[in-house]
């Protein structure tokens, strides 16, 4: 999303550019129209990750493995990432890239639709990154909250969906369902008493939700 002041464009210009395999994957994604996180979202994830120091991360939406490889850099020692992807070609590409990065023992790609896969997982995660079909976010939420540790962080990308979620302009018909579902999703994470949520106009819009510990419930 380009903010009214072009802030995202400016931020993108001054951020440290990617290098090595990550840079190569950025170039591949651009050439093959694979939607990966924007540089300003990547830098936000890194800063948050450094603060959280997660032992376990769950990602929904692997694509070619770019963000999971990026996130592996902020894992605590011995940490692991589980990442879910439903597109078979993407799963193959992600496996290839993760192997090239030497991270096959750190990142597990789970092939399948997250709506089904999430129900079968029963691990606890310090950080969950939701970056898949926007219309399914409301469906993913209860499972993510079940598996997010107290004191853990839920990060959801694309929540402002090209300005359509927050805008006053009428939304074109074929996007209406997604926009309505995203608004209802944002209402849920903002009104949940277990969560402290902040919505940032970074990239395409990022929602951060901290899951309170029991001792923090009334504060
Ligand atoms: N997180 C990746 C990155 O930044 O490198 C980009 C993910 S891309 C925006 C979204 C991916 O989610 C696509 O590859 C798509 O196939 C996948 N996806 C969408 N809905 C899904 C679902 N219900 N279950 C699993 N994967 C899904």
């Amino acid at each position: 999303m380009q903010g009214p002041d072009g802030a995202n464009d400016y931020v993108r210009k001054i951020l440290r550019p990617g290098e090595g395999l990550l840079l190569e994957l950025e170039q591949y994604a651009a050439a093959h129209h694979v939607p990966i996180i924007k540089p300003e979202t990547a830098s936000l994830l890194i800063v948050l990750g450094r603060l959280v120091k997660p032992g376990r991360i769950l990602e929904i939406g692997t694509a070619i493995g770019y963000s999971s490889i990026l996130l592996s850099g902020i894992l605590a020692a011995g940490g692991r990432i589980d990442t879910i992807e439903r597109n078979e070609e993407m799963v193959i590409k992600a496996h290839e890239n993760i192997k090239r990065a030497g991270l096959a023992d750190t990142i597990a790609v789970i092939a399948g639709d997250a709506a089904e896969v999430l129900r079968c997982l029963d691990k606890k995660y310090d950080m969950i990154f939701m970056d898949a079909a926007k219309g399914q976010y409301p469906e993913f939420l209860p499972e993510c909250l079940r598996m997010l540790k107290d004191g853990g962080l839920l990060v959801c990308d694309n929540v402002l969906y090209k300005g359509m979620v927050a805008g006053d302009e009428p939304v074109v018909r074929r996007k209406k369902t997604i926009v309505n579902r995203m608004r209802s999703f944002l209402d849920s994470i903002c009104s949940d008493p277990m969560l402290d949520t902040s919505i940032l106009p970074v990239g395409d819009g990022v929602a951060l939700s901290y899951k309170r510990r029991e001792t923090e419930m009334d504060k």
Side-chain angles (χ1 to χ4, degrees), residues 117-200:
V117 172
L118 286 171
R119 281 198 285 270
C120 304
L121 294 177
D122 64 354
K123 292 178 195 155
K124 288 282 185 187
Y125 296 93
D126 306 286
M127 187 168 169
I128 300 183
F129 179 45
M130 206 188 281
D131 187 20
K134 292 169 275 295
Q136 287 183 286
Y137 281 22
E139 194 181 347
F140 299 154
L141 184 62
E143 300 300 339
C144 288
L145 293 183
R146 173 177 63 79
M147 289 186 282
L148 186 63
K149 282 186 193 167
D150 294 349
L153 183 69
L154 172 66
V155 182
C156 303
D157 197 14
N158 307 117
V159 297
L160 297 177
Y161 193 23
K162 300 179 174 130
M164 283 185 275
V165 172
D168 296 328
E169 299 285 314
V171 177
V172 291
R173 218 165 122 204
R174 68 197 159 82
K175 311 265 185 196
K176 251 189 188 153
T177 308
I178 294 183
V179 168
N180 286 338
R181 285 187 186 167
M182 191 55 87
R183 285 180 180 154
S184 129
F185 172 77
L186 293 178
D187 282 345
S188 302
I189 55 174
C190 287
S191 61
D192 190 325
M194 278 193 318
L195 301 176
D196 290 308
T197 291
S198 174
I199 300 169
L200 309 176

Side-chain angles (χ1 to χ4, degrees), residues 35-37 59 61-63 66-67 85-86 112-114 131-133 136 140:
I36 59 167
I37 47 168
E59 176 182 65
T62 319
Y66 174 81
S67 52
E85 175 56 56
R86 69 176 172 192
D113 193 307
D131 187 20
Q136 287 183 286
F140 299 154

Side-chain angles (χ1 to χ4, degrees), residues 1-3 7-9 11-12 37-42 44 157-163 200-206:
M1 188 182 82
Q2 178 166 356
N8 276 319
D9 285 347
V11 170
R12 218 169 278 175
I37 47 168
K38 309 259 186 310
E40 58 275 18
T41 312
L44 176 65
D157 197 14
N158 307 117
V159 297
L160 297 177
Y161 193 23
K162 300 179 174 130
L200 309 176
V202 170
D204 197 21
V206 178

